[in-house]
Every structure is written in C-alpha cells, then in structure tokens.
Amino acid sequence: MKKLLFSIRNLLQRLVGPVALHRLRKRIVRRSNTENGSCGHAERWIYIYPTFACTLKCSYCQNLHATGIHNPLEQCTMTPRAWAESINRIGRHVVISGGDPFVYHDLPGIVNRIAPHLKVVICSDLSAPGTLDALRAMRRPVSLDATYHPSSGKSGKFLQTVEAARGLDGIEIALHSVAAGKAVKFLRRTQKEFLAKDLRLNLVAAYGDLAFEGSRQQQRETVYCTKRNINIGPDGKRYPCLTKTIRMQDPLCSVTAPGIADDMPPHLCNDFGHCVPGDLEEVGMRIERLDGRGVLRPC
C-alpha cells in the first residue's frame, strides 16, 4: 500500500510538478484548518530558534534570503533551563527550528525540561556532529521533521542517521526534501532509495521557486501585517515574523514578559516585498495595504 501511494504521489509530481503539488497541499491544509476553526498551528504552538547556525550552505536557505549570509550573526543568550522554563510558562506545544537546532550546544537540556504534556517537534537536516548522541540523550517523546538537502552530499549518511534515530524509543520521524532546480531528477531517484528501506521521502517546493507578492521583490512596501505565530529568536525575544526573527530586527518583547503569548496587534512594517517566503505561507496572517487597495492576505 505504501508503494502504491508513493507511486501515485510521484505520478502527480511528474504531471503537475512539485511546486504546483506543494501549493495544492497548502490549500488543502489551509481549508482543513479553517473548517476546524483555527488558522494553522498558531493557536497551539510556539516556534523557537535557539540558533540559526547550520553546517550546510543551501542556495534556497531562508537565512541567506533574509540576511545575505548563511549563518547570520546572533546573540544566543538563552540557557537550556531558561528556554524550557519559558516554554512551560507559555504552555503551548513547541517547534524547535533554526538553522539546525542540533548545532545548539545543549538541545537535550531544553527538550528534557519541557513539560510532558507539551508536544515537541524538532526541524533538522541531521548533518550536525553529535546529532545521534543528542537524540539518545532525550528522555521524552519527540517528533523529528528531518530534511534531506542535496548539498549535504549523497543520501547514505543521512539514511544511516535516520535508521539509527527511528530505532530509538519515543522518536517519530517525518522525512522530506527540497525540490530545487536541477536537483529534482536526482531527488526522484533518491526517493526510490528511501522507499527500498521502507522510508517515504516527500518532496516540497524550494522557497526560491515559489512566487509571493511580498518576497523577492525589488521594491519594499509599507503594510499593516498581523501574524499569529509566536517566533522567538536566539536572544529570547519575540519578533513580529520569521523574517525579522532571522534579522533580529524590531523585537516585540522578551520571552519572560507576561504577555508574550498574546495575539499581536497589527504591525506597521516597511519591509513587505523583502519577506522570507516562509512568512508568507503562514496560515492566518493578514496583510493590509496603506494606500486603500485593500487586504492582500485575509485570515
């Protein structure tokens, strides 16, 4: 059955392309979230970025898109205990992303202190030294959203890490890869290697291949932006969006502030047009122009 579903998905990708299929999936997810009375994960999850450092240098990296360099300068002022205490106080499920969270000096120190009733998702490319040791040190259930990047080389090492990780108690793994440019054909062959080991590698469109009105534009525009995601940077501050989290620009408040989980009021932003595409995929965001031309992105 798994092979049949994989074949159907692969056929759809060949017919409409990975970009169109990715957009269709986003529409389905958005419709499902709307029917369930919520706008994505925003009401239940927070997104923390202990570090934006990474061992890879992918051409489609959002860090590169936002700052012009792969590993932007950052101030990692939060200790593992401070991260966990803040997450527990906010009381929402958490996505730990980056960069690669496993580059952070003590990721298990964060994860093991998070309250058991809160879900933890870690987004990683599994390329950092010591990744498996860190996973073995985690004493609670964790969902691992693992991305295979062709820039990391052939898939053998990534597969070894995945197979070792899925043998650990409490670790659930979902795999995907970024289908960018000429790598698409290579990744379709790689999918077969994963399937031979009973692993499904989903292809998603590269951010650079997705067209958004607010991203990759020559001119900036001032808009009112309302977002529901809670993004917390390496310095322990909440930022209005992922773009400004990466740039560490215009912080709203400290993670220790009592109202950090409150809905963000409309934010006057003059960077629309230079947003990272990941921001513009967020379900539940609202962008309103100042010139009377109406709402670009209703919730």
Side-chain angles (χ1 to χ4, degrees), residues 69-127:
I69 56 176
H70 282 95
N71 293 313
L73 296 175
E74 59 188 16
Q75 298 173 347
C76 298
T77 59
M78 294 283 286
T79 65
R81 183 180 295 277
W83 274 120
E85 288 177 350
S86 299
I87 293 166
N88 293 337
R89 186 179 62 259
I90 295 170
R92 298 192 185 186
H93 306 312
V94 60
V95 175
I96 307 177
S97 190
D100 183 355
F102 287 100
V103 176
Y104 182 75
H105 67 278
D106 187 9
L107 185 59
I110 299 175
V111 171
N112 290 335
R113 291 183 172 96
I114 296 175
H117 68 281
L118 298 178
K119 296 178 182 178
V120 177
V121 175
I122 300 175
C123 302
S124 171
D125 54 50
L126 307 182
S127 64

Side-chain angles (χ1 to χ4, degrees), residues 16 25 32 37 49 58 78 88 101-102 110 132 146 155 184 188 193 218 229 232 237 253-254 256 274 277 287 292:
V16 304
R25 187 179 67 177
S32 173
Y49 301 85
C58 302
M78 294 283 286
N88 293 337
F102 287 100
I110 299 175
L132 272 177
S155 61
V184 175
R188 285 176 178 157
E193 298 176 18
Q218 292 184 351
N229 278 5
I232 304 174
K237 295 178 181 177
C253 60
S254 169
T256 59
H274 285 209
I287 299 174

Side-chain angles (χ1 to χ4, degrees), residues 5 32 60 63 80 119 128 148 157 162 252 259 263 266 277 286 288:
L5 292 173
S32 173
Y60 43 79
N63 292 354
K119 296 178 182 178
Y148 169 63
K157 184 177 179 180
V162 168
L252 297 173
D263 286 342
R286 177 184 176 91
E288 187 172 359

Side-chain angles (χ1 to χ4, degrees), residues 84-253:
E85 288 177 350
S86 299
I87 293 166
N88 293 337
R89 186 179 62 259
I90 295 170
R92 298 192 185 186
H93 306 312
V94 60
V95 175
I96 307 177
S97 190
D100 183 355
F102 287 100
V103 176
Y104 182 75
H105 67 278
D106 187 9
L107 185 59
I110 299 175
V111 171
N112 290 335
R113 291 183 172 96
I114 296 175
H117 68 281
L118 298 178
K119 296 178 182 178
V120 177
V121 175
I122 300 175
C123 302
S124 171
D125 54 50
L126 307 182
S127 64
T131 294
L132 272 177
D133 290 337
L135 285 170
R136 293 188 184 104
M138 294 179 186
R139 302 187 299 272
R140 56 153 297 148
V142 168
S143 295
L144 188 60
D145 187 359
T147 307
Y148 169 63
H149 295 289
S151 62
S152 65
K154 294 183 178 180
S155 61
K157 184 177 179 180
F158 181 87
L159 273 170
Q160 289 178 358
T161 304
V162 168
E163 289 189 295
R166 70 173 178 169
L168 301 175
D169 291 337
I171 304 294
E172 294 184 356
I173 305 179
L175 305 175
H176 69 273
S177 187
V178 180
K182 297 179 181 179
V184 175
K185 291 183 179 180
F186 166 76
L187 288 172
R188 285 176 178 157
R189 294 194 299 269
T190 305
Q191 282 181 311
K192 296 179 181 179
E193 298 176 18
F194 280 70
L195 189 60
K197 295 183 179 294
D198 197 28
L199 293 168
R200 186 174 67 180
L201 180 69
N202 295 320
L203 299 188
V204 299
Y207 284 130
D209 294 337
L210 299 176
F212 293 103
E213 187 170 2
S215 181
R216 303 174 68 87
Q217 304 298 312
Q218 292 184 351
Q219 302 295 325
R220 289 180 168 88
E221 182 179 353
T222 300
V223 298
Y224 278 115
C225 179
T226 304
K227 296 174 69 66
R228 298 185 179 181
N229 278 5
I230 300 174
N231 298 290
I232 304 174
D235 57 351
K237 295 178 181 177
R238 181 182 177 183
Y239 289 85
C241 58
L242 176 57
T243 303
K244 294 193 174 183
T245 306
I246 297 173
R247 295 173 182 163
M248 300 184 75
Q249 176 185 353
D250 300 336
L252 297 173
C253 60

